[in-house]
């Protein structure tokens, strides 16, 4: 529907969903960005030059979250990262002639978006910068022990990030990203990253979400496959990025593999305020929980249908309309193969 209306579709795959088995492949319309192998430089920023003053603080928040997620930090380390990384990373960008102290007065000189991928500093250069700053502080006659400790924590954090996941984060952004910025259908695949740990997958999700929604507007849609796999620690950041999508007239579809987990995730996905929701069958307990959360009763005859164990039944709620229907065609399902459906 979105594509037919000339809208852009962006799929964020966290659960291994194979879209080609769920419908047409749309190969001529599709750009695939494999984030399992690191196609995006974590120090690169995306967007339009007119938005540079808001893009930069968002980048600082992104780096903080990525550092927290990709390296198993303690509460003490997280406090230091949140308190010190923004200042140090800002000085790093200034040294790279990408940012200026008085940015508002020097907007024409800023070089944080629209520069060649190869000119953006990589993680290894940032690690070298931290080493240099640490050594300079150690050798100072009147050294700041608090800042020295902060630099020590940041050195260890980013050095571990480089050593353990350099293939993901010490990269030059792939040229495929340029096509993805305007492609009608873009697929970002994170699913195999979960084998490395939730933190690494979340770091990469944080790394790409701002870019993924930056060029979307009215009629465009983001699909999050496996939304239950999103860690609570990054949900606030993702919500801010999705708000930009909503403000531009776009939409987001949250796809869960568990009704219980969706019901628990109301604060993030706001299913009670959704244009519409689609479910399979539910237990009586799930029906009661859902009715309580949306403050609306499902008619009793529909409840009987919804709690039926048939895998062919779907339930749609849109506004005050409640519809239960039987699916005649289920793409990619075992039942489809048994019945000999072709698509």
């Amino acid at each position: 529907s979105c594509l037919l209306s000339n809208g852009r579709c962006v799929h964020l795959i966290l659960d291994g969903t194979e879209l080609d088995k769920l419908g047409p492949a749309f190969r001529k319309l599709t750009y695939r960005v494999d984030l399992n192998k690191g196609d995006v430089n974590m120090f690169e920023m995306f967007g339009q030059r007119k938005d540079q003053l808001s893009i930069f603080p968002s980048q600082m928040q992104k780096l903080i979250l990525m550092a927290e997620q990709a390296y198993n930090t303690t509460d003490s380390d997280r406090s230091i990262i949140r308190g010190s990384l923004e200042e140090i990373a800002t000085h790093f960008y200034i040294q790279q002639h990408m940012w200026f102290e008085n940015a508002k007065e020097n907007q024409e000189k800023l070089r944080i978006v629209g520069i060649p991928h190869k000119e953006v500093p990589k993680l290894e250069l940032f690690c070298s910068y931290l080493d240099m700053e640490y050594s300079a502080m150690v050798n100072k006659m009147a050294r700041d022990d608090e800042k020295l400790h902060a630099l020590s924590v940041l050195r260890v954090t980013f050095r571990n990030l480089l050593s353990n996941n350099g293939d993901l984060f010490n990269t030059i952004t792939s040229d495929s990203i340029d096509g993805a910025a305007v492609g009608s259908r873009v697929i970002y695949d994170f699913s195999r990253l979960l084998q490395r740990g939730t933190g690494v997958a979340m770091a990469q999700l944080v790394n790409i979400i701002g870019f993924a929604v930056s060029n979307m507007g009215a009629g465009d849609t983001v699909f999050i496959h496996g939304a239950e796999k999103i860690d609570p620690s990054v949900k606030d950041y993702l919500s801010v990025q999705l708000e930009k999508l909503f403000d531009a007239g776009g939409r987001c579809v949250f796809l869960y593999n568990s009704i219980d987990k969706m019901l628990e995730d109301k604060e993030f996905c706001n299913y009670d305020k959704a244009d519409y929701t689609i479910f399979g069958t539910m237990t009586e307990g799930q029906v009661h929980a859902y009715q309580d959360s949306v403050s609306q009763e499902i008619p009793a005859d529909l409840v009987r249908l919804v709690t039926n164990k048939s895998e062919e039944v779907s339930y749609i709620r849109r506004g005050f309309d409640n519809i239960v229907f039987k699916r005649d065609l289920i793409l990619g399902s075992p039942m489809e193969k048994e019945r000999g459906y072709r698509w």
Side-chain angles (χ1 to χ4, degrees):
S1 172
C2 179
L3 288 174
L4 288 173
S5 300
N6 293 319
R8 297 184 63 227
C9 295
V10 168
H11 296 266
L12 307 176
I13 300 179
L14 297 167
D15 61 355
T17 296
E18 297 182 58
L19 293 178
D20 289 354
K21 293 185 177 180
L22 299 179
F26 298 113
R27 289 186 176 86
K28 293 183 179 180
L29 299 176
T30 302
Y31 287 88
R32 294 179 182 269
V33 181
D34 188 0
L35 293 168
N36 298 295
K37 62 181 183 181
D39 276 351
V40 180
N41 182 349
M42 63 186 289
F43 288 93
E44 185 160 354
M45 289 169 262
F46 304 94
Q48 300 182 30
R49 287 189 60 82
K50 65 182 179 65
D51 299 321
Q52 288 183 114
L53 294 180
S54 61
I55 290 171
F56 191 79
S58 181
Q59 170 72 1
M60 295 298 104
Q61 182 62 25
K62 185 190 85 170
L63 291 177
I64 290 169
L65 276 174
M66 289 186 68
E68 291 177 356
Q69 291 296 318
Y71 176 57
N72 190 20
T73 54
T74 64
D75 288 341
S76 175
D77 289 346
R78 279 192 289 274
S79 177
I80 290 170
I81 290 170
R82 291 170 187 170
S84 304
L85 180 55
E86 181 171 352
E87 178 186 354
I88 292 169
T90 297
H91 289 158
F92 172 68
Y93 279 112
I94 290 173
Q95 188 190 72
Q96 298 300 310
H97 307 294
M98 297 174 68
W99 191 250
F100 287 81
E101 288 282 4
N102 300 313
K104 191 173 182 179
E105 286 74 37
N106 291 282
Q107 292 189 56
E108 72 284 352
K109 298 179 182 178
L110 301 182
R111 296 179 63 253
I112 63 170
V113 296
I115 61 177
H117 301 312
K118 291 182 179 180
E119 294 183 15
V120 180
K122 297 197 303 182
L123 174 59
E124 60 188 4
L125 185 60
F126 185 61
C127 288
S128 297
Y129 174 78
L130 291 174
D131 290 341
M132 181 184 67
E133 289 292 299
Y134 179 81
S135 297
M137 184 60 68
V138 166
N139 294 320
K140 268 190 175 181
M141 292 295 292
R143 71 186 188 194
D144 183 336
D145 288 335
E146 185 176 338
K147 186 170 183 179
L148 182 65
H149 180 57
L151 283 166
S152 176
V153 170
L154 291 174
R155 283 178 73 217
V156 171
T157 300
F158 282 93
R159 190 59 70 177
N160 271 277
L161 191 62
L162 178 62
S163 300
N164 298 331
N165 294 292
D167 60 318
L168 295 177
F169 302 119
N170 187 42
T171 59
I172 295 172
T173 298
S174 168
D175 289 337
S176 64
I177 282 293
D178 300 326
V182 295
S184 297
R185 185 173 183 257
V186 187
I187 300 172
Y188 298 95
D189 187 3
F190 304 82
S191 51
R192 293 202 310 277
L193 284 182
L194 288 167
Q195 297 173 11
R196 295 199 188 192
T198 299
V200 174
M202 293 302 102
Q204 196 66 304
L205 177 58
V206 166
N207 191 26
I208 197 62
I209 185 65
F211 170 77
V213 304
S214 63
N215 292 301
M216 302 187 77
D220 298 338
T221 306
V222 170
F223 299 82
I224 304 179
H225 301 264
E228 73 279 358
K229 296 185 181 296
I230 298 175
D231 192 80
S233 61
V234 303
K235 286 181 179 177
D236 285 346
Y237 180 81
L238 263 60
S239 294
V240 169
Q241 301 304 315
L242 291 175
E243 279 296 329
K244 297 176 183 177
L245 170 70
F246 302 149
D247 290 344
R251 292 182 175 184
C252 182
V253 178
F254 298 87
L255 297 121
Y256 290 83
N257 293 293
S258 163
I259 290 178
D260 287 328
K261 290 182 178 178
M262 187 217 72
L263 292 172
E264 294 168 1
D265 213 17
K266 176 181 174 181
E267 188 175 342
F268 175 58
C269 66
N270 295 306
Y271 62 79
D272 57 319
K273 302 172 185 174
D275 293 328
Y276 60 88
T277 53
I278 305 176
F279 302 100
T281 55
M282 306 165 75
T283 65
E284 290 186 6
Q286 289 168 339
V287 170
H288 291 310
Y290 180 66
Q291 289 181 131
D292 290 342
S293 67
V294 298
S295 301
Q296 179 184 335
E297 287 192 12
I298 303 173
D301 56 342
L302 294 187
V303 170
R304 285 192 294 273
L305 293 173
V306 168
T307 54
N308 185 344
K309 299 304 179 183
S310 170
E311 294 184 2
E312 300 176 34
V313 170
S314 288
Y315 163 51
I316 292 181
R317 172 181 171 269
R318 185 167 190 167
F320 291 98
D321 296 326
N322 295 276
I323 303 169
V324 176
F325 65 95
K326 186 175 181 180
R327 300 190 300 273
D328 293 323
L329 176 62
I330 311 174
L331 297 178
S333 75
M335 281 185 292
E336 177 196 294
K337 293 176 182 177
E338 289 174 9
R339 293 175 180 177
Y341 289 134
R342 299 179 65 185
W343 47 277

